[in-house]
């Protein structure tokens, strides 16, 4: 249930509604809204409680009360009609400008991280990714550099003036990750690690929540609800491919998820073509399709030398291929009313003074 207040309803009326909501046994959640306040009722809504619609509708300052059929409340567009724009330093995710998250799958060493950071910045990325704690199928595979990797990511981010994104695997690592990174990524494998989601919700950093390949769109929205319920409204959803019978690619990108999420939720949604395809050859085409479909950005793996990558080399773009992707993306973005950030570093070989 959401209670929509009249435009300009005084604070005293809002407070009276909040008190009535609490008295009825719900936790109220207020969305300030641009024009009018919307109060969402959090808690189990059985048929009897649904009869409270009339009770709340009669309170002074209330414009109308609607029942939300979706099980997610905070992520629902009914609670917040306008699309959420998340600020990460100078970058807005969900606004007119696209979020271009790029960088290596794993942070491997200083040279690799800095080379990747410089390259993606030159091509117009506005967020830098790199994994320090890696979820690997095999325990014998490279597990990430841990804290020393976070330090390299932070240094590379600072050098290129790019906010950073990195994945958390375990709640114990959250504090140190929050110290070094600007955005916390919850990977596909942990999308339904509910305790981790709750802990992430208590950290005051934006979150990129990736869809588990075996989960429905609604499950992804419910997972975002766990984070938001802890007081962190800054969740970016990421479609990265689901499991299907098709085996020509690593996963099957569910591009439907983009317009579906846009319809039912106000949260920004980005697409990761690298993990969806598992092969660098398809990454650009999928990225263009994602933006054309209305995604707020992309997350792309870029490595200076994919053949030597310690993880996900086959799906990583070389810097020059990433530049080609960005060149191809600009007109597609423009065609759907979006913009790609202008690179602020000169491209290699270009004169900074001219
Ligand atoms: C990643 O971004 O490197 C990653 C592990 O992605 P996913 O969780 O989508 O598999
Ligand atoms: Mn990867």
């Amino acid at each position: 249930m959401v209670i929509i207040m009249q435009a300009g309803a005084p604070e005293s009326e809002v407070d009276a509604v909040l008190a009535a909501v609490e008295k009825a046994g719900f936790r109220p959640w207020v969305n300030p809204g641009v024009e009018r306040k919307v109060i969402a009722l959090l808690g189990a809504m059985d048929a009897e409680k649904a009869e409270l619609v009339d009770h709340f509708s009669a309170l002074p300052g209330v414009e109308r009360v609607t029942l939300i059929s979706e099980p997610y409340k905070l992520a629902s567009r009914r609670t917040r009609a306008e699309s959420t724009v998340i600020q990460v330093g100078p970058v807005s995710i969900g606004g007119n400008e696209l979020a271009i998250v790029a960088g290596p799958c794993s942070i491997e060493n200083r040279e690799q991280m800095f080379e990747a950071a410089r390259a993606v910045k030159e091509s117009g990325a506005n967020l830098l990714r790199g994994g320090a704690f890696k979820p690997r199928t095999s325990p014998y595979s490279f597990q990430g550099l841990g804290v020393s990797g976070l330090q390299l990511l932070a240094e590379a981010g600072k050098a290129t003036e790019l906010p950073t994104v990195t994945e958390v695997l375990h709640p114990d690592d959250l504090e140190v990750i929050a110290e070094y990174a600007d955005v916390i990524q919850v990977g596909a494998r942990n999308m339904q690690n509910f305790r981790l989601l709750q802990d992430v919700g208590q950290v005051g950093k934006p979150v990129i929540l990736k869809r588990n390949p075996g989960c429905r769109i609604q499950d992804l929205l419910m997972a975002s609800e766990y984070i938001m319920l802890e007081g962190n409204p800054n969740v970016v959803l990421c479609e990265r491919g689901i499991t299907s019978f098709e085996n020509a690619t690593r996963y099957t990108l569910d591009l439907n998820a983009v317009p579906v999420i846009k319809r039912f939720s106000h949260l920004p949604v980005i697409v990761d073509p690298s993990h969806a395809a598992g092969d660098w050859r398809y990454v650009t085409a999928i990225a263009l399709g994602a933006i054309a479909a209305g995604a707020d950005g992309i997350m792309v793996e870029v490595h200076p030398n994919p053949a030597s990558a310690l993880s996900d080399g086959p799906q990583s773009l070389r810097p020059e291929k990433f530049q080609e992707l960005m060149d191809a993306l600009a007109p597609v973005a423009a065609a759907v009313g979006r913009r790609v950030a202008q690179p602020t570093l000169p491209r290699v070989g270009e004169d900074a003074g001219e």
Side-chain angles (χ1 to χ4, degrees), residues 63-74:
E63 185 173 289
R64 70 196 138 88
V65 178
T66 47
L67 283 168
I68 301 189
S69 44
E70 295 97 29
Y72 45 89
K73 311 292 176 199
L74 302 180

Side-chain angles (χ1 to χ4, degrees), residues 91-208:
V91 181
S92 312
I93 307 179
N96 190 256
E97 195 162 281
L98 296 175
I100 309 291
V101 189
C105 178
S106 299
I107 303 151
E108 298 169 6
N109 55 62
R110 174 175 294 272
E111 200 189 351
Q112 172 251 14
M113 191 61 233
F114 272 70
E115 222 177 292
R118 177 110 197 150
V120 301
K121 171 78 177 196
E122 283 176 5
S123 298
N126 48 12
L127 292 147
L128 179 63
R129 66 154 284 152
F133 298 94
K134 294 304 303 177
R136 304 305 301 276
T137 301
S138 164
Y140 306 113
S141 301
F142 177 60
Q143 302 287 308
L145 294 180
V147 177
S148 64
L150 294 176
Q151 288 164 341
L152 290 177
L153 177 68
E155 282 180 44
K158 198 170 270 181
T160 49
E161 293 177 6
L162 289 173
T164 56
V165 181
T166 201
E167 178 169 353
V168 63
L169 290 187
H170 194 280
D172 288 353
D173 303 324
L174 257 177
E175 201 178 311
V176 69
I177 287 174
E179 191 184 323
Y180 286 109
D182 300 299
V183 178
I184 298 171
Q185 174 176 324
V186 175
R189 288 155 192 83
N190 275 311
M191 189 200 91
Q192 287 190 316
N193 182 344
F194 301 116
R195 285 296 300 273
L196 179 64
L197 297 178
Q198 286 171 326
D199 285 354
V200 166
Q202 287 170 14
V203 177
K205 298 259 173 167
V207 179
I208 293 179

Side-chain angles (χ1 to χ4, degrees), residues 4-349:
I4 297 134
M5 300 300 291
Q6 289 163 1
E11 208 63 25
S12 58
E13 290 180 350
V14 176
D15 288 346
V17 171
L18 294 178
V21 166
E22 277 174 5
K23 196 162 166 230
F26 294 99
R27 187 173 141 194
W29 184 88
V30 186
N31 170 28
V34 195
E35 240 186 80
R36 60 194 75 233
K37 287 201 165 75
V38 176
I39 300 164
L41 276 63
L42 307 176
M45 182 72 64
D46 51 37
E48 210 173 285
K49 285 181 179 163
E51 284 167 15
L52 288 166
V53 170
D54 288 344
H55 169 64
F56 292 127
S57 301
L59 295 175
V62 172
E63 185 173 289
R64 70 196 138 88
V65 178
T66 47
L67 283 168
I68 301 189
S69 44
E70 295 97 29
Y72 45 89
K73 311 292 176 199
L74 302 180
S76 170
R77 218 179 246 288
R78 289 196 223 233
T79 303
R80 187 184 156 90
E82 59 282 11
S83 294
T84 287
V85 178
I86 296 171
Q87 207 60 40
V88 187
V91 181
S92 312
I93 307 179
N96 190 256
E97 195 162 281
L98 296 175
I100 309 291
V101 189
C105 178
S106 299
I107 303 151
E108 298 169 6
N109 55 62
R110 174 175 294 272
E111 200 189 351
Q112 172 251 14
M113 191 61 233
F114 272 70
E115 222 177 292
R118 177 110 197 150
V120 301
K121 171 78 177 196
E122 283 176 5
S123 298
N126 48 12
L127 292 147
L128 179 63
R129 66 154 284 152
F133 298 94
K134 294 304 303 177
R136 304 305 301 276
T137 301
S138 164
Y140 306 113
S141 301
F142 177 60
Q143 302 287 308
L145 294 180
V147 177
S148 64
L150 294 176
Q151 288 164 341
L152 290 177
L153 177 68
E155 282 180 44
K158 198 170 270 181
T160 49
E161 293 177 6
L162 289 173
T164 56
V165 181
T166 201
E167 178 169 353
V168 63
L169 290 187
H170 194 280
D172 288 353
D173 303 324
L174 257 177
E175 201 178 311
V176 69
I177 287 174
E179 191 184 323
Y180 286 109
D182 300 299
V183 178
I184 298 171
Q185 174 176 324
V186 175
R189 288 155 192 83
N190 275 311
M191 189 200 91
Q192 287 190 316
N193 182 344
F194 301 116
R195 285 296 300 273
L196 179 64
L197 297 178
Q198 286 171 326
D199 285 354
V200 166
Q202 287 170 14
V203 177
K205 298 259 173 167
V207 179
I208 293 179
L209 176 62
K210 300 186 83 173
R211 180 180 178 186
N212 180 280
C215 284
R216 298 204 163 99
I217 295 168
Q218 177 161 308
D219 303 327
L220 174 63
L221 290 165
M222 292 310 294
S224 77
E225 196 80 6
Y226 269 92
I227 298 171
M228 297 176 83
L229 198 49
E230 296 299 316
N232 187 347
N234 299 318
V235 182
V236 180
L237 304 172
C238 180
E239 164 59 42
R240 43 76 77 214
I242 56 175
T243 306
S244 79
F245 56 81
E246 182 55 70
N247 64 2
T249 49
R250 190 175 177 189
Y251 295 94
T252 298
L253 183 75
D254 180 16
L255 199 49
N256 298 354
V258 174
V260 171
I261 290 170
K262 286 281 168 197
R263 175 180 170 202
F264 290 106
S265 176
H266 54 84
L267 294 175
V269 53
I270 63 172
V271 167
D272 171 350
S274 306
H275 290 86
D279 186 325
W280 67 270
R281 292 170 189 82
Y282 310 129
V283 168
T284 293
I286 299 170
L288 302 187
I291 297 307
D296 296 300
I298 48 173
M299 179 189 271
V300 182
E301 288 186 337
V302 178
H303 194 289
N305 180 17
S308 72
L310 297 180
S311 63
D312 286 348
Q315 68 195 33
S316 298
L317 293 180
R318 293 176 187 283
E320 56 278 17
K321 290 286 171 200
F322 179 63
Q323 178 65 57
E324 285 174 27
L325 182 161
M326 293 300 286
D327 289 343
L329 197 63
V332 174
V336 291
R338 308 299 285 266
R339 260 182 308 114
V340 178
Q342 286 308 310
T344 51
L345 285 181
R347 287 189 195 176
V348 177

